[in-house]
Amino acid sequence: MDTVWENRDLILDGFAMTVRLFAVSGLLALVAGTLLAIMRVGPIPPVRWAASTYVTVLRNTPLTLVFVFSTFGLPRLEVRLEFVTFAIVALTAYTSAFVCEAVRAGINSVAAGEIEAARALGLSFRQVLTLVVLPQAFRAIVPPLTGVFNALLKNTSVAVAFNVAEANAIYRRLQNLDGSATIPLLLTLAGGYVVLAAVLFGASRLVERRVAAVR
Amino acid sequence: MTVALYDEPGPRARRRILVGSVIGAAALLLLGAYVAKRLDDTGQFRSEYWAPFGGAGVQRILLRGLLATLRAAGLALVLAIALGVVLAVGRLSERRVLRILSGAVVELFRAVPLVTLILFAFIGLPELGIDTGPYSSVVIGLTLYNGSVLAEIFRAGINAVPRGQVEAAYSIGLRKAAVLRLVLIPQAVRTMMPVIVSQMVVLLKDSALGFIVAFPELLRSGRRIYTNVGNVIPTAIVVAAIYITINLSLSAMANWLERRQGGGRRRRDRGEARLPPELGVGVPGGTGSGA
């Protein structure tokens, strides 16, 4: 137990990195995923194909491999970034494919009558999308998006293998220092993730209640 | 597309779509050309980077890695299904202790990242006197995580069997175990098959985390190649292609199973078992968001 207490700053730093990876790539993935979803439901075929190819490829590639591409592959293309930035690139690229699918499901859940009515009023595709469809879609997808973000929260842990000092890297280091601290360390680590997940779900429920609409 | 976001385009809209297509295609081509040029400038197309994949040695490494991946994923799948059944039955039990215990196990292993579980099995368990290697660490991690996820799927599947079925089974004198074995599980398994197959995709992808503990699975084998040859990007492309091929075949199998079950709608009207929507059957990205 002492090892955990003595190194509390280090452990907190690890979780701070976890939160940072989560927040930055979550925000970027939300934007990129929404754009991808719009591309996928839009009327322009080549754009549609490009977006669906991207989603299919990223969803079927292991995240670890996306990390290899980013952290070890990009430097080969003379892209020089910090390890943290490579991790954010990988997490964003991977997560946006899943955000796209969630948003698309939300768009598909908007009642056809709504869209027909909007079109009958003479709204353009862009107006139908931004004024009628997306606002309703986002209300419907708070729960599935929460699932995607929960996966992202846990996925930040993959960064441990790619030179980012997030929570698991700290665990690994401290465990090497003091083998007897295995169980307390693991419980601290697990507890940290449980707390973060609880915060995420709490926030999601709050958002859901605020945007809940009578349909 | 299920949603009619736009009408059958008229002449003007058709013209606009054509213009959009041309601009979109041009933009994509430009982007593709830029990436290709970047790849070429940094020498990624050099033949010494790609030639090794034609050689028997490299192919043997990849094949061995693929087999290791399939071996770990296969064993973990079988164990996870077993663990999932035990935990699901525990959560549905009439004994409170069992319910709470299984619930706690499920929630814990779903909340903790798979990386943490694998690291614990790899460096934690040996400290506690349990001998694990990379292979068993990966299998333990995958089993604990996917077993918990599958437990929730099984529970939902069993709960989705209409109550009347259970009541009818009890009324003809079956006991609890028999109701579960003869009535609930067969129906639940049928509705859950597609979700179980999609979970297989997640599990197979997650097995690439073996990379972290140096388990020589497919991705780690790729590392052996690129550290020798220096061709990170070509190797990553080849390895990605292998994963994508396998996973797309699995997804195709899930779709086929779902269709074979005779179209969701008809079944629903007859009031047969179906899963609640939050499990994301058939919803793209529903359960497939693991690492």
Side-chain angles (χ1 to χ4, degrees):
Chain A
M1 208 62 227
D2 291 346
T3 313
V4 174
W5 183 247
E6 281 159 18
N7 293 289
R8 57 192 182 279
D9 290 344
L10 207 57
I11 294 171
L12 281 178
D13 282 353
F15 273 110
M17 178 56 86
T18 296
V19 170
R20 188 172 149 206
L21 288 174
F22 169 77
V24 177
S25 24
L27 208 64
L28 293 174
L30 192 62
V31 175
T34 308
L35 288 178
L36 281 170
I38 293 172
M39 287 166 75
R40 280 197 81 169
V41 299
I44 299 169
V47 173
R48 222 160 49 206
W49 298 328
S52 55
T53 308
Y54 176 86
V55 170
T56 308
V57 167
L58 267 294
R59 279 185 62 205
N60 288 295
T61 306
L63 175 62
T64 324
L65 181 50
V66 180
F67 262 93
V68 168
F69 255 113
S70 170
T71 304
F72 305 139
L74 286 181
R76 294 307 179 107
L77 302 180
E78 284 157 17
V79 179
R80 310 234 177 274
L81 300 167
E82 281 177 55
F83 283 126
V84 184
T85 319
F86 283 133
I88 288 171
V89 168
L91 287 167
T92 304
Y94 184 79
T95 310
S96 51
F98 292 93
V99 171
C100 168
E101 290 304 274
V103 173
R104 204 167 63 106
I107 291 176
N108 283 337
S109 78
V110 175
E114 296 266 346
I115 296 158
E116 282 162 6
R119 272 214 327 263
L121 288 172
L123 299 188
S124 68
F125 173 73
R126 209 181 59 201
Q127 285 172 316
V128 172
L129 207 60
T130 54
L131 297 177
V132 179
V133 175
L134 282 181
Q136 297 193 62
F138 273 109
R139 285 178 181 167
I141 60 172
V142 175
L145 264 189
T146 310
V148 171
F149 284 129
N150 186 32
L152 170 62
L153 176 66
K154 292 189 283 174
N155 283 344
T156 56
S157 60
V158 178
V160 64
F162 300 88
N163 304 319
V164 176
E166 49 71 69
N168 285 278
I170 309 292
Y171 163 68
R172 211 173 180 174
R173 187 165 355 139
L174 293 181
Q175 208 279 341
N176 280 338
L177 282 180
D178 177 8
S180 68
T182 292
I183 294 291
L185 273 175
L186 181 83
L187 288 178
T188 313
L189 195 57
Y193 280 105
V194 170
V195 168
L196 288 179
V199 171
L200 176 66
F201 280 105
S204 145
R205 214 157 295 143
L206 214 69
V207 171
E208 202 180 346
R209 210 172 323 136
R210 291 204 71 162
V211 301
V214 186
R215 282 261 192 108
Chain B
M1 206 162 333
T2 52
V3 160
L5 277 168
Y6 31 82
D7 270 319
E8 192 55 41
R12 236 182 53 201
R14 264 209 296 273
R15 210 172 322 127
R16 263 206 314 245
I17 290 176
L18 188 68
V19 172
S21 295
V22 170
I23 295 175
L28 287 169
L29 280 178
L30 230 73
L31 182 72
Y34 172 74
V35 173
K37 187 172 159 17
R38 192 77 190 229
L39 287 169
D40 190 41
D41 284 352
T42 52
Q44 302 305 322
F45 294 125
R46 266 181 301 179
S47 62
E48 64 257 41
Y49 277 2
W50 289 90
F53 297 110
V58 164
Q59 282 174 4
R60 206 169 320 120
I61 293 177
L62 283 177
L63 189 67
R64 220 177 286 147
L66 178 60
L67 287 179
T69 287
L70 294 178
R71 206 157 53 96
L75 179 60
L77 181 72
V78 173
L79 293 176
I81 288 178
L83 178 66
V85 169
V86 171
L87 288 174
V89 171
R91 276 198 102 163
L92 292 167
S93 156
E94 272 158 22
R95 275 165 224 254
R96 231 180 105 183
V97 187
L98 273 182
R99 264 202 323 262
I100 293 175
L101 208 69
S102 331
V105 170
V106 168
E107 292 307 329
L108 176 69
F109 289 129
R110 281 202 319 166
V112 177
L114 188 49
V115 171
T116 312
L117 296 177
I118 293 177
L119 280 181
F120 173 66
F122 187 61
I123 53 180
L125 286 183
E127 295 286 347
L128 302 175
I130 301 166
D131 213 19
T132 54
Y135 177 64
S136 21
S137 303
V138 173
V139 172
I140 290 172
L142 287 173
T143 302
L144 291 178
Y145 175 68
N146 289 285
S148 307
V149 173
L150 284 173
E152 287 300 276
I153 295 174
F154 292 155
R155 189 166 69 110
I158 289 176
N159 276 334
V161 176
R163 277 212 59 78
Q165 298 272 337
V166 180
E167 285 160 9
Y170 276 123
S171 72
I172 58 171
L174 291 182
R175 302 217 176 156
K176 223 175 85 183
V179 173
L180 204 64
R181 189 166 50 85
L182 297 173
V183 179
L184 284 175
I185 290 182
Q187 296 195 61
V189 163
R190 232 177 29 176
T191 35
M192 289 175 316
M193 237 14 242
V195 198
I196 295 174
V197 179
S198 342
Q199 193 59 33
M200 275 167 67
V201 173
V202 176
L203 198 152
L204 196 87
K205 284 201 305 173
D206 284 351
S207 70
L209 287 174
F211 184 84
I212 289 172
V213 291
F215 171 59
E217 42 76 58
L218 181 53
L219 182 52
R220 194 78 189 184
S221 311
R223 193 182 122 112
R224 252 185 80 191
I225 298 167
Y226 70 67
T227 41
N228 276 326
V229 188
N231 56 348
V232 178
I233 291 181
T235 306
I237 291 173
V238 170
V239 170
I242 300 175
Y243 275 112
I244 291 170
T245 310
I246 300 175
N247 286 333
L248 284 182
S249 332
L250 281 173
S251 303
M253 192 164 104
N255 285 338
W256 177 75
L257 277 170
E258 212 169 352
R259 253 203 324 275
R260 215 187 56 146
Q261 293 203 351
R265 184 126 322 141
R266 199 158 42 84
R267 184 162 285 270
R268 208 163 301 166
D269 291 344
R270 292 210 310 263
E272 278 193 42
R274 71 192 157 96
L275 282 178
E278 66 264 25
L279 278 170
V281 193
V283 178
T287 51
S289 37

